[in-house]
Each structure stands twice: as structure tokens, then as C-alpha cells.
Amino acid sequence: MDASIVVATLSAVVALAAAVMTYRASGKATNVNEQANQLQWVKELRADAGDARREVTDLRAKVADLSRELSVVTREAEQLVAEMQLWRRTAWREGMTIDRYREFIGPPSAGINGRHL
């Protein structure tokens, strides 16, 4: 066998081995890049989940505040409705005069924009 054939064969074997190693390293690098991308995606999801938890906590607090405010407004509205019904029943009582009715409801109070109603 000629020396140049042996050298060429050895060079081909070395080149093939280098190609295989390069291909494997490329595959591993691709896997590492994919894992890094997935890890970044997971980190973003966790950050978004943390933000969502904080928003939910804030919204729950706002809902609790609004619920308390609604409860107060509802009580006030119920009181006003009851008072209005009393005034209406009183106005239609037998023998009720405008002067007696005015005495019953009391003096006018400041209404909208400081005007008397």
C-alpha cells in the first residue's frame, strides 16, 4: 500500500470523526439552546403568575371595599325609602293639612348645590 493512500485514509477517518463530533456537539448545542429558551419561558410564566397573584390580591381588596361601600349605600337607600313611604302615608292621612304636614316633616334642608328643595 502506498503511503499517500494510508495518509489519505487516515485523514478521511479523522475528518469523518471530526464531522461526527461536530454534528453531535451541534445537536447538544441545539438542545442546550432549546432548554435555555424553555427556561426563559418558564421564568416569564412565573413572573406573569406572580403579577397575576398581586393583581388578584389588589382586586379582592377593592371588591371588599366596594362591598362595604355598597352595604352602606344600600342601608341609606332603605332608610330614605322608608322615610319617603312614611311621608307619603302621612300626607294621605285623613284630616292632614299642608300646615300639619309641613310641621310633621320639619323645615327644609339644603338640597342640591345649597338650594332649598
Side-chain angles (χ1 to χ4, degrees):
M1 209 182 237
D2 192 7
S4 62
I5 293 176
V6 172
V7 170
T9 304
L10 286 175
S11 294
V13 169
V14 170
L16 181 62
V20 168
M21 293 175 105
T22 302
Y23 175 76
R24 287 186 63 203
S26 172
K28 286 181 183 179
T30 301
N31 287 341
V32 168
N33 286 338
E34 287 177 8
Q35 289 177 353
N37 288 339
Q38 289 175 355
L39 180 61
Q40 183 62 32
W41 184 66
V42 168
K43 286 179 181 178
E44 289 174 6
L45 281 177
R46 285 183 179 165
D48 290 345
D51 292 344
R53 281 188 208 101
R54 283 186 289 279
E55 287 178 20
V56 166
T57 301
D58 292 345
L59 288 174
R60 283 183 179 152
K62 287 179 183 178
V63 166
D65 290 342
L66 290 174
S67 179
R68 282 190 293 276
E69 290 177 20
L70 178 62
S71 180
V72 168
V73 168
T74 301
R75 274 194 308 275
E76 289 175 357
E78 288 170 349
Q79 289 171 349
L80 289 172
V81 166
E83 187 176 344
M84 189 176 204
Q85 289 172 344
L86 174 64
W87 290 355
R88 184 171 172 79
R89 283 192 310 268
T90 302
W92 287 100
R93 280 191 187 153
E94 183 135 349
M96 181 59 70
T97 64
I98 191 72
D99 291 331
R100 287 182 64 205
Y101 186 70
R102 285 180 179 164
E103 192 176 306
F104 174 76
I105 62 173
S109 60
I112 300 171
N113 297 326
R115 293 180 292 180
H116 293 287
L117 298 177

